[in-house]
Amino acid sequence: MKFSRYLIWNFLKMFLIVVCGAVLIFVVIDFVGNIKTWSAREMKSVGDYYLSYLPYILYLITPVALFIAVLASVGNMARHLEMSAMQSSGQSPFKTLLPIFFLGVLMSIGSYEMSEHWLPDANHKRFEIMETNAQKRKNPRIKEKQDFTFIDSEKNSWFFKYYSGKSKTGRDVVLLVRDRGRLVERYDVRTIRWVQTDSVTGAGFWRFENGFHRIFKKDGSVDVMPVRQKSMKGRIDTHPNDLINERQLADEMDSKMVKARIDVLRRSGEETRAMETALQFKYSAHWMNLIVLLIGAALCHRYSRSGGLSQKFGVGLLLVFSYYILERIGLKMGENGALSPFWAAWNSHFIYASLAFVMLYRSFRL
């Protein structure tokens, strides 16, 4: 028990040192790279940006920080023959390293929870703060759409001449309402407007202004009624975020938001491969923390005169960065349709998890 506490303390101490140093370096490099942008902004905006950037930085650097921490702490203990002493006392290497493996599982679970509850809001705020005029021209965030169709369900189909996501209003809108495939109602209105009733949940209803409402009866007759202002509360489930979502990147959404976005895109007949791949990646990415830690433990837990700690560090870094590269290649292939979303997000983890277990098995057997 004392040795386990000693092992965990050495590991966590090194992990925190690496994380603090990496965060500082990350922030300094990013600040210097965007110095022209920040010179025209208030200090409050700069502070808010880096406070929102912190979760994403932690998300990025945690796997590398875990690898360096396990290599430095466990490797240093192995070099001083402390790991060999535990093995000589009859305790297996696996049991000795079990507290480290348990921490790796906790880190993976914590990373997932952070990506679901903290990271999306932080990323959304960061993107909104950092969006410069040049970025708006190069990769604009969609604020309005023209001449498009939106199929909300088998019941409702929309046709818009113009829609603004900022003001949540549309012009020259046609709404077709069906019942079991038969057209029963049609609205042709000059303006539609979203009336928000709850600022916290975003709940509200559509109000139709200036147009006509047609009702198609089963006997073939049509009733036409003018529309001045008509509330559609309780009659239409379409939300403004279904038409133009303020959060347009998967990094700004949790898994529930991504699933909802996929459903909206499918109903509209739009491509969903990128979002489906992003959804699978939200489930798979966090296991990289545990897998990288296993690779580091396999490399360093046994003392060897033939290969020093620096050599193991170089081999480990090569494996970790090749892991990153293979992961990114898989995601791109998934977005382009060359791989299914599941295999695009998971194949690199399966490959390197297998490699980690083989390395651990061989190091434990030696």
Side-chain angles (χ1 to χ4, degrees):
M1 183 62 72
K2 287 184 179 180
F3 184 82
S4 296
R5 289 199 297 266
Y6 172 62
L7 177 64
I8 291 172
W9 166 247
N10 281 340
F11 173 78
L12 290 178
K13 179 176 65 175
M14 189 56 62
F15 175 73
L16 290 174
I17 290 172
V18 174
V19 166
C20 291
V23 168
L24 180 61
I25 292 171
F26 213 112
V27 169
V28 169
I29 292 175
D30 185 83
F31 181 82
V32 172
N34 295 297
I35 193 70
K36 289 185 178 179
T37 302
W38 298 134
S39 62
R41 302 284 187 92
E42 296 179 358
M43 285 304 297
K44 185 179 183 302
S45 295
V46 180
D48 288 344
Y49 174 80
Y50 285 108
L51 191 62
S52 302
Y53 204 178
L54 182 60
Y56 189 65
I57 296 173
L58 292 174
Y59 173 79
L60 285 179
I61 67 175
T62 296
V64 175
L66 286 171
F67 170 75
I68 295 175
V70 74
L71 204 70
S73 59
V74 177
N76 192 49
M77 292 170 68
R79 188 163 62 90
H80 290 93
L81 303 180
E82 292 173 274
M83 301 299 291
S84 299
M86 290 301 298
Q87 190 171 351
S88 299
S89 68
Q91 184 164 293
S92 67
F94 175 78
K95 189 174 181 180
T96 303
L97 293 171
L98 196 57
I100 297 292
F101 299 156
F102 181 69
L103 282 175
V105 173
L106 289 181
M107 290 287 185
S108 296
I109 296 172
S111 176
Y112 173 76
E113 291 298 322
M114 183 178 73
S115 72
E116 287 291 294
H117 303 295
W118 188 14
L119 194 57
D121 292 337
N123 277 338
H124 178 64
K125 185 175 180 180
R126 174 169 66 93
F127 292 147
E128 290 290 331
I129 293 172
M130 192 55 185
E131 191 177 25
T132 62
N133 291 330
Q135 287 172 322
K136 290 177 182 178
R137 291 192 297 268
K138 183 180 178 181
N139 187 25
R141 296 170 69 81
I142 298 172
K143 302 291 186 182
E144 56 187 37
K145 295 169 76 173
Q146 296 180 349
D147 298 317
F148 71 98
T149 301
F150 176 75
I151 301 173
D152 180 39
S153 61
E154 294 182 359
K155 185 178 178 181
N156 298 329
S157 300
W158 297 82
F159 302 88
F160 288 84
K161 186 69 176 176
Y162 170 82
Y163 178 75
S164 169
K166 187 175 181 179
S167 61
K168 295 181 175 60
T169 58
R171 292 201 307 266
D172 298 328
V173 179
V174 176
L175 171 63
L176 304 180
V177 181
R178 292 181 172 84
D179 181 20
R180 298 178 183 176
R182 186 179 71 86
L183 183 64
V184 293
E185 292 181 82
R186 171 173 173 151
Y187 292 88
D188 294 80
V189 291
R190 180 64 179 168
T191 306
I192 68 167
R193 200 178 307 277
W194 177 256
V195 180
Q196 186 166 289
T197 56
D198 191 329
S199 60
V200 177
T201 63
F205 60 90
W206 292 105
R207 186 174 67 208
F208 288 4
E209 301 173 359
N210 302 323
F212 294 94
H213 176 204
R214 294 177 174 85
I215 300 176
F216 301 91
K217 299 183 177 180
K218 289 185 178 180
D219 60 6
S221 62
V222 181
D223 291 343
V224 182
M225 294 169 286
V227 173
R228 296 294 182 189
Q229 284 192 357
K230 183 170 184 176
S231 168
M232 303 300 289
K233 187 175 184 179
R235 304 191 63 186
I236 298 175
D237 296 329
T238 307
H239 192 273
N241 284 342
D242 295 337
L243 303 174
I244 296 180
N245 199 327
E246 292 181 358
R247 304 192 177 205
Q248 297 171 16
L249 300 175
D251 287 343
E252 301 172 86
M253 308 178 193
D254 59 29
S255 57
K256 290 181 180 179
M257 293 178 185
V258 175
K259 285 180 182 177
R261 190 60 187 162
I262 290 171
D263 290 339
V264 169
L265 293 174
R266 281 176 177 164
R267 290 198 303 266
S268 302
E270 298 181 53
E271 184 57 61
T272 62
R273 280 195 303 251
M275 279 294 173
E276 288 182 45
T277 303
L279 178 61
Q280 290 296 328
F281 182 64
K282 284 187 175 294
Y283 298 141
S284 69
H286 318 286
W287 294 110
M288 187 180 198
N289 296 310
L290 176 61
I291 294 168
V292 164
L293 187 143
L294 294 177
I295 291 173
L299 284 171
C300 69
H301 83 90
R302 185 178 293 276
Y303 175 70
S304 174
R305 292 189 179 90
S306 59
L309 202 57
S310 59
Q311 181 180 338
K312 295 175 181 178
F313 180 74
V315 172
L317 276 186
L318 179 63
L319 289 173
V320 171
F321 284 112
S322 64
Y323 190 173
Y324 269 114
I325 292 169
L326 185 61
E327 181 185 65
R328 292 298 156 183
I329 290 173
L331 292 177
K332 285 297 179 183
M333 292 178 72
E335 292 171 1
N336 295 330
L339 285 175
S340 69
F342 177 84
W343 287 108
W346 285 94
N347 68 341
S348 61
H349 303 293
F350 288 147
I351 292 170
Y352 279 85
S354 302
L355 177 63
F357 285 124
V358 169
M359 291 173 65
L360 278 173
Y361 178 76
R362 292 192 61 182
S363 67
F364 289 163
R365 289 289 300 272
L366 290 176

